[in-house]
Structure formats: structure tokens, C-alpha cells
């Protein structure tokens, strides 16, 4: 243990794991092996880092809080498998890691205040990633793993499931953290598809259609998509325009995006 006592900072989403049983369960779910390349986002004071390095994998970490850098350096700096990157994971250029396609294993007890934009940033780099294991707010994991038809199904479910297979592994109560967060948490595993089950012609247009559709989730698709697609175009995608967005599955959203990709409105809407 370092002499230095770090005070948890709310603005960095700091809730440090201290429950050895939970830490062990997460490490077993990740099951890192020698020679693998791991990237830990937000190592904090090293609750997961220590066990990850114990596997003899190569470990890059990205930590934003400057005060934690000397603590991490002090604890793990002498390990040749450890590489410390100071900075913002939201802006991190994954090309810097020089990782082979589908090789990187990304893990982290993520700062909950930035978890959604961070997941989108990672999805943009999905080609480099073999799998991801994250601690997130339980409600966010439920949205990622949701099926069409319910209130949890939305932009996050669709864009995550477009790129990845999602497994809600287990829940973690607030008592496992210091300080305890006000919400329940859960561990999720995301495995990028080797071949996309429903590949859109232009994935930016898919994002656009999904965003537009869920902006007003109580309205019909005919209504919310009117700036992008005509009633005829919606019908050409074999979608019933009188449905609400939460009733449509991923394949249907991809068909809508593909119709948009073929239409003259596409350039204006991307
Ligand atoms: N992994 C540690 C643990 O489980 O005890 C810490 C988890 S804590 C929930 C989130 C960590 O992410 C903190 O160390 C925080 O400083 C760091 N962090 C917050 N925003 C970040 C960002 N934009 N980029 C990188 N790290 C960030």
C-alpha cells in the first residue's frame, strides 16, 4: 500500500472496488492469460490491475486523474508487462497501442458519468477488440442486453448489439465500492462480432436513423422519421410506419438505414 491516501473524486466517477470476493469474481470472468494484450480503463488505485498483472498478460492502463499516476507507478511501474498512459480514455487513440486486429481485451470498472460515450468510442474501434468486460450501472447493462419490445430497448441496445454479442454476467451491490455509489452495478461482457449479423451499408446512417427514431420514442416511426424517410421509403424497408421505435428489431433499423443510403436525402442526413 502506498503511504499516500487518495481521496475519491466525484467528478472523475471514482468509486473504488474494495470487496475481494467481487474483485476475484471479475478477474475470473476476464480470465486473462500470459501473452494477451489487455487495456484497463480507469485503473484507479489498482484494485483490478494487480490481479490482471498476475496473469502475465501485457497490460496498458489509461488513467485521467494525475494524482493517481504516482500511486500506480509506485505499485506497478517495475513490472515490465505494465504500461501507464495518462489521459482521457474518451480521446484515446487506440492505434497507439499497436494491437493486432481482434486482439485487444478491454476491461474496466468504468466511471459511470462517461460510460455511454466511452462505449461508443470503443465501438468505433471494435475491429481491434477481442472482448470487453466492464462494470457499469446495472440499468445501463440492462439497456445493452435488452430485447426489442420493452422500455429498455433503445439507441444503446441497438448500437451495442449491432457490433457485439452482449452477456449480462452478474450484479454488484453498492457495498463493494468505496465510496458506495447510489446505484446498483453489473458486470457485462461484450464480444465484437467476427461477421456483423446485420451489416448496414453506412453505419453512420444507421446511427442517424436510430437517434432520430428514439428522440421521441412515444411517436410513430412515420412521424419521427419524416425528415429522413418518406412513408413509401419506410414501406420499402418492409417496416410498418405506424409502429413505435421500440417495436423494431435491429434488422429492421438496418433496412431503414439501407433505404436511406440509396436515397438522395442520404448525403444531407449523414
Ligand atoms: N478500477 C478502479 C477500481 O475498480 O477501484 C477505479 C474505478 S473508478 C469507478 C473509475 C476510474 O476511472 C477512476 O480511477 C477515475 O479517475 C478514472 N477516470 C475517470 N474518467 C476517466 C477518463 N475520461 N479517462 C480515463 N480514466 C478516467
Amino acid at each position: 500500500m502506498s503511504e499516500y491516501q487518495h481521496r475519491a473524486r466525484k467528478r472523475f466517477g471514482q468509486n473504488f472496488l474494495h470487496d475481494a470476493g467481487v474483485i476475484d469474481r471479475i478477474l475470473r470472468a476476464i480470465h486473462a492469460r500470459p501473452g494477451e494484450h489487455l487495456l484497463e480503463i480507469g485503473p484507479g488505485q489498482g484494485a483490478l490491475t494487480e490481479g490482471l498483472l498476475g496473469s502475465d498478460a501485457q497490460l496498458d492502463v489509461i488513467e485521467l486523474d494525475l494524482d493517481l499516476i504516482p500511486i500506480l507507478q509506485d505499485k506497478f511501474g517495475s513490472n515490465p508487462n505494465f504500461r501507464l498512459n495518462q489521459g482521457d480514455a474518451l480521446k484515446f487513440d487506440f492505434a497507439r497501442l499497436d494491437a493486432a486486429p481482434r486482439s485487444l481485451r478491454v476491461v474496466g470498472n468504468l466511471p459511470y458519468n462517461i460510460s455511454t460515450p466511452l462505449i461508443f468510442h470503443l465501438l468505433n474501434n471494435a475491429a481491434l477488440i477481442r472482448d470487453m468486460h466492464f462494470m457499469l450501472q446495472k440499468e445501463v447493462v440492462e439497456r445493452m442486453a435488452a430485447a426489442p419490445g420493452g422500455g429498455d430497448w433503445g439507441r444503446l441496445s441497438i448500437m451495442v448489439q449491432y457490433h457485439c454479442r452482449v452477456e449480462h454476467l452478474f450484479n454488484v451491490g453498492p457495498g463493494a465500492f468505496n465510496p458506495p455509489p447510489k446505484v446498483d452495478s453489473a458486470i457485462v461482457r461484450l464480444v465484437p462480432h467476427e461477421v456483423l449479423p446485420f451489416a448496414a451499408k453506412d453505419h453512420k446512417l444507421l446511427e442517424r436513423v436510430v437517434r432520430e427514431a428514439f428522440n421521441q420514442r412515444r411517436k410513430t416511426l412515420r412521424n419521427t422519421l419524416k425528415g429522413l424517410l418518406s412513408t413509401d421509403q419506410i414501406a420499402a424497408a418492409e417496416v410498418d410506419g405506424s409502429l413505435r421505435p421500440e417495436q423494431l428489431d435491429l434488422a429492421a433499423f438496418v433496412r431503414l438505414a439501407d433505404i436511406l443510403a440509396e436515397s438522395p436525402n442520404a448525403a444531407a442526413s449523414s
Side-chain angles (χ1 to χ4, degrees), residues 12-17 40 42-44 63-64 68 87-89 109 111 114:
F12 290 138
Q14 291 178 350
N15 299 96
F16 298 113
L17 268 170
E40 185 186 4
E63 175 55 62
L64 181 61
L68 289 171
D88 183 348
N109 169 15
I114 60 157

Side-chain angles (χ1 to χ4, degrees), residues 170-207:
F170 55 89
N171 297 334
V172 178
F177 304 85
N178 188 10
K182 290 197 176 67
V183 292
D184 280 328
S185 303
I187 296 287
V188 69
R189 174 184 290 143
L190 305 176
V191 183
H193 300 299
E194 264 180 74
V195 178
L196 295 179
F198 306 101
K201 291 188 172 131
D202 178 340
H203 107 276
K204 288 273 167 228
L205 290 180
L206 175 65
E207 276 178 23

Side-chain angles (χ1 to χ4, degrees), residues 38-54:
L38 275 80
L39 168 66
E40 185 186 4
I41 296 176
Q45 305 183 90
L48 296 171
T49 319
E50 185 155 356
L52 293 171
L53 281 170

